[in-house]
Amino acid sequence: MFKKSGAMNILKQPFVNPKMMGDMIRQHIRAALYQEKESTKADIVQRTGISFPTISKLLDEMKDTGEVLLVGLGTSSGGRKPSTYRLNPAYMTGLAVCLEKDSSSYLVLNYEGEIIGRKKLPGVLHSGPELLTEQIGTLMSLYPNPRVLTLGVPGAVNNGCAFHIPGYDRFKDFNFKAFYEEQFSLRVQVENDMNATVIGYYDRIGNDDSLSLVYLYLGKNGPGAGIIVNGNVVRGRTFFSGEVSYVPLSGTQNFVQLLDNAFATQDIKESRSMLVDAISRLVAVFTATINPHTIIFCDSEITNNDLGQIRNKSASFVPEENLPDLVVSDWQQDYFHGLHQMTIRSLLVEQ
């Protein structure tokens, strides 16, 4: 079940007075309607703090363009019942795409954020942009008014360009954003898969601006991490943040080399012990650098028993009282929720 707390990000934007630009006020109206589904003008005024005449004027304009629908009458404490409004679900749609090693997964969202279509298609990362373009074009032709495309990719991304995507040379330095904005005339946003995942987890737990989180995934494409510090995704100076494979942890070996050694070990117990050791060292590094509140692991990779061992081992590297909470979560659910939230937020501001 997708939460709607992401809309609060728009409602939290600084607002000075009702004379601000019309598009900003419309964003507040959209966010209020998205969060509550159906609202009266008075409800929106209360939620946004914008004057009734301004809300009334712009809401009527949005109704005339078909963006919002007049759906009925609300309750009244006396006098005439107020009209209630909602976003028009058919006004526009958004497409969220998760690119993985063996498959490409698609979500189609209507203007209210509801999932109106799902599709799992063959992977494109080894095939190249031609197959991806074909898949996107096919999905877009099936739904009305596509306006936003969100792509999650297993690599480092700078302004829509995948400049570091190991193992997938067909997409090396491929500018997803520029290419698909020109190809399909819509708004395109591209995000590293782990950044999208930590965004999804963060939204599901309530968007607390004081939290710092690290989401670690060992994955099919090699390890990666999504990092949020004080409510903000950390991408770094060159958008390389989270590429934990390269973190040196033991002698001349980095994190991915320690993982490779663990996975190559035939003895299951020894292999697990080596895996716990490698992860514990990385937990210690994060503890001593950004000191997060929580480190999240994929529940298909790490067990609750592993968490206890990781915590004990990490405590041999840093004082235990400084260690973060260690939890497991559903990586796929968090990843898709992150892409979902990114898509609907873009729809709410895209006009």
Side-chain angles (χ1 to χ4, degrees):
M1 189 74 176
F2 288 121
K3 294 186 177 180
K4 294 193 173 184
S5 52
M8 289 301 295
N9 287 355
I10 293 176
L11 291 174
K12 287 179 182 178
Q13 291 178 8
F15 192 83
V16 179
N17 59 62
K19 296 182 180 179
M20 288 183 67
M21 295 175 61
D23 59 344
M24 288 298 297
I25 301 173
R26 288 184 177 88
Q27 287 179 26
H28 283 260
I29 293 173
R30 293 177 194 124
L33 289 173
Y34 173 75
Q35 192 168 18
E36 294 299 323
K37 191 119 181 184
E38 294 185 5
S39 297
T40 66
K41 291 177 179 178
D43 293 334
I44 299 172
V45 168
Q46 185 175 17
R47 291 198 62 81
T48 63
I50 306 171
S51 72
F52 188 91
T54 301
I55 291 294
S56 181
K57 177 178 181 294
L58 291 178
L59 197 56
D60 287 343
E61 290 178 2
M62 293 166 74
K63 179 173 70 71
D64 290 341
T65 62
E67 183 176 355
V68 302
L69 301 174
L70 176 62
V71 292
L73 299 175
T75 58
S76 173
S77 57
R80 193 168 70 178
K81 291 183 178 181
S83 299
T84 57
Y85 299 84
R86 67 182 293 178
L87 295 172
N88 178 0
Y91 185 65
M92 62 176 67
T93 55
L95 181 62
V97 186
C98 166
L99 300 181
E100 298 184 85
K101 182 178 181 179
D102 302 317
S103 63
S104 302
S105 299
Y106 294 81
L107 295 180
V108 184
L109 311 178
N110 67 17
Y111 198 42
E112 291 187 308
E114 297 170 333
I115 298 173
I116 58 174
R118 293 178 184 266
K119 198 78 171 176
K120 190 169 185 177
L121 297 173
V124 301
L125 291 173
H126 289 298
S127 300
E130 296 82 5
L131 180 57
L132 176 58
T133 304
E134 179 184 326
Q135 290 182 357
I136 292 173
T138 299
L139 264 293
M140 289 179 55
S141 68
L142 300 177
Y143 296 92
N145 303 320
R147 298 290 287 275
V148 171
L149 171 63
T150 304
L151 296 127
V153 302
V157 178
N158 182 358
N159 194 31
C161 179
F163 67 89
H164 180 75
I165 186 165
Y168 305 117
D169 292 341
R170 298 294 302 275
F171 285 99
K172 176 72 166 65
D173 294 324
F174 180 69
N175 195 319
F176 291 86
K177 180 178 173 64
F179 183 84
Y180 288 116
E181 284 187 341
E182 180 178 357
Q183 185 82 13
F184 296 116
S185 298
L186 40 64
R187 173 180 292 186
V188 176
Q189 51 188 345
V190 189
E191 187 58 273
N192 165 266
D193 54 359
M194 290 312 301
N195 286 346
T197 303
V198 77
I199 288 170
Y201 180 86
Y202 176 66
D203 184 79
R204 290 202 307 108
I205 65 172
N207 287 303
D208 183 346
D209 290 345
S210 68
L211 287 181
S212 294
L213 309 171
V214 174
Y215 203 126
L216 180 64
Y217 182 51
L218 305 183
K220 298 178 181 179
N221 303 295
I227 303 168
I228 284 180
V229 174
N230 298 330
N232 296 305
V233 176
V234 177
R235 295 181 173 86
R237 182 178 68 88
T238 64
F239 297 85
F240 198 68
S241 178
E243 298 296 333
V244 295
S245 292
Y246 301 97
V247 177
L249 293 178
S250 179
T252 60
Q253 293 190 310
N254 59 29
F255 183 55
V256 75
Q257 290 169 329
L258 293 180
L259 292 184
D260 288 343
N261 291 341
F263 294 141
T265 300
Q266 298 298 314
D267 184 275
I268 296 177
K269 186 175 180 180
E270 177 64 18
S271 174
R272 206 66 188 172
S273 176
M274 293 171 68
L275 177 65
V276 166
D277 180 76
I279 293 174
S280 300
R281 292 173 185 272
L282 191 62
V283 167
V285 169
F286 279 124
T287 300
T289 50
I290 64 174
N291 196 203
H293 294 82
T294 307
I295 295 182
I296 308 101
F297 301 90
C298 173
D299 60 3
S300 66
E301 298 175 336
I302 300 298
T303 67
N304 285 318
N305 182 59
D306 291 331
L307 292 182
Q309 294 183 39
I310 291 169
R311 184 170 192 86
N312 291 337
K313 184 67 176 180
S314 298
S316 69
F317 300 118
V318 295
E320 185 173 6
E321 63 270 19
N322 299 300
L323 288 173
D325 294 331
L326 306 179
V327 303
V328 294
S329 187
D330 186 322
W331 175 81
Q332 189 170 65
Q333 181 184 27
D334 294 330
Y335 187 9
F336 278 106
H337 185 63
L339 294 175
H340 177 280
Q341 287 300 305
M342 290 175 62
T343 303
I344 193 61
R345 289 172 193 172
S346 188
L347 283 173
L348 293 177
V349 302
E350 198 280 334
Q351 302 298 325

